[in-house]
Amino acid sequence: MSMRELVVLGTASQAPTRQRNHNGYVLRWDDEVILFDPGEGSQRQLLHTTVTASDLTRICVTHFHGDHCLGLPGTIQRLSLDRVPHPVAVHFPAGGAEYFARLRHATSFYETAELRVEPIEADGQRIALSCGTLEARRLRHPIETYGYRLVEPDGHRMLPEKLAAYGIAGPAVGELIRVGHLDLDGRRVTRDEVSEPRHGQRFAFVMDTGLCDGVYALAEHADLLVIESTFLESEAALAAEVGHLTAAQAARVATESGVRRLVLTHFSQRYPDSRRFHDEAREYFDGDLIIAEDLTTVQLPPRRVASAG
Ligand SMILES: [Zn+2]
């Protein structure tokens, strides 16, 4: 299967620390390489990974607080410096268009890269990609904020031994997938006879929000959920006041939504010991739990096994 993984550039909220760069994440998903929320220093963090600026196909910004977008000027200029040959799509809350325009043209540079600017205008906006659907959902934060999810449709996995048994090979396989059946010497072979159902995979990215319907809509059955847990429960009142989640809330969302692999990130600098996020989340979530660290890679878990029928 093609590569599907999350590359973590930074994990700090608000202010970077000696251990944590400002936020920033890259999702590799088949032919899409999507940069989410590039905070300050993202361009340099990329140098420590296997992703280059020229690999990027798309940039998604959840909102225009600095820790989620101050990396845009450097990253955008780098696209032109490196003469990226393909267009790069950019999504962000439409209400923040003025901030985007300023960041994009923060300084003088020779612009050669083609940016396809497609702001998110409404809750539930969908963007069709070759590998699935990118969907934006409104979140609850003091300024206009959208989380994103990438949903691959369910499909079929062809079974080579069954294809071989019927002598089906080459272009006939494509026709069978497309049409749903194939007539061979007077006998009809259906797609279901030579394939099994294949669950589509889901990735969700939930940043800077209090608990709201959008959080659950994004997290639903995610194979990999990246979600902010700025605070611990000891600061739950403060978290609610400023539009953020605690580790316990994020973990409960993951459990209630059937998430398989949970990545907590966007940590407040007030907690030097990140094991506390793990311990708190573990009380509410018993799936794969990862406390994000800068410059680490998290794989999408293997596909959910399709249930019979
Ligand atoms: Zn924010």
Side-chain angles (χ1 to χ4, degrees), residues 1-8 25-30 32-34 36 49-51 201 203 224 226 261 296-301:
M1 195 179 76
S2 315
M3 189 189 287
R4 292 184 179 179
E5 64 182 20
L6 177 82
V7 179
V8 179
Y25 313 84
V26 174
L27 177 71
R28 284 193 212 259
W29 186 289
D30 304 351
E32 286 278 349
V33 182
I34 307 176
F36 287 92
T49 73
T50 56
V51 184
Q201 289 192 311
F203 167 81
L224 182 63
V226 179
R261 187 165 288 170
T296 56
T297 298
V298 180
Q299 303 296 322
L300 257 281

Side-chain angles (χ1 to χ4, degrees), residues 63 65 67-68 141 208 244 266:
H63 67 299
H65 278 155
D67 49 333
H68 298 261
H141 201 53
D208 286 31
H244 281 296
H266 192 271

Side-chain angles (χ1 to χ4, degrees), residues 122-135:
D123 183 33
Q125 187 167 327
R126 290 183 179 156
I127 296 139
L129 311 183
S130 62
C131 56
T133 303
L134 182 67
E135 183 180 351

Side-chain angles (χ1 to χ4, degrees), residues 143-295:
I143 61 171
E144 187 182 358
T145 301
Y146 291 96
Y148 298 89
R149 71 173 181 164
L150 184 52
V151 177
E152 177 188 40
D154 293 335
H156 300 270
R157 191 177 82 83
M158 304 310 276
L159 300 168
E161 62 283 3
K162 296 216 168 160
L163 289 171
Y166 286 106
I168 302 170
V173 177
E175 189 186 333
L176 179 57
I177 293 171
R178 218 169 36 250
V179 180
H181 60 80
L182 206 60
D183 292 318
L184 295 171
D185 304 327
R187 189 201 184 292
R188 174 160 290 191
V189 179
T190 66
R191 185 176 54 199
D192 292 347
E193 289 176 76
V194 292
S195 70
E196 61 182 15
R198 189 200 67 175
H199 274 302
Q201 289 192 311
R202 294 183 180 194
F203 167 81
F205 186 78
V206 177
M207 263 328 117
D208 286 31
T209 184
L211 215 48
C212 64
D213 290 348
V215 174
Y216 289 98
L218 292 165
E220 189 188 12
H221 297 308
D223 295 280
L224 182 63
L225 168 65
V226 179
I227 187 167
E228 68 122 314
S229 79
T230 311
F231 294 107
L232 294 170
E233 273 297 277
S234 45
E235 278 69 49
L238 173 63
E241 188 187 321
V242 293
H244 281 296
L245 295 172
T246 67
Q249 284 177 315
R252 285 196 293 260
V253 165
T255 295
E256 289 165 27
S257 306
V259 167
R260 298 173 69 206
R261 187 165 288 170
L262 171 63
V263 177
L264 298 184
T265 185
H266 192 271
F267 306 115
S268 164
Q269 58 176 328
R270 75 176 60 220
Y271 310 107
D273 180 5
S274 60
R275 278 174 304 187
R276 295 175 67 193
F277 290 97
H278 180 279
D279 295 346
E280 184 172 296
R282 191 41 101 200
E283 286 182 41
Y284 303 97
F285 179 74
D286 60 9
D288 290 349
L289 172 61
I290 293 160
I291 305 304
E293 299 294 341
D294 289 21
L295 307 177

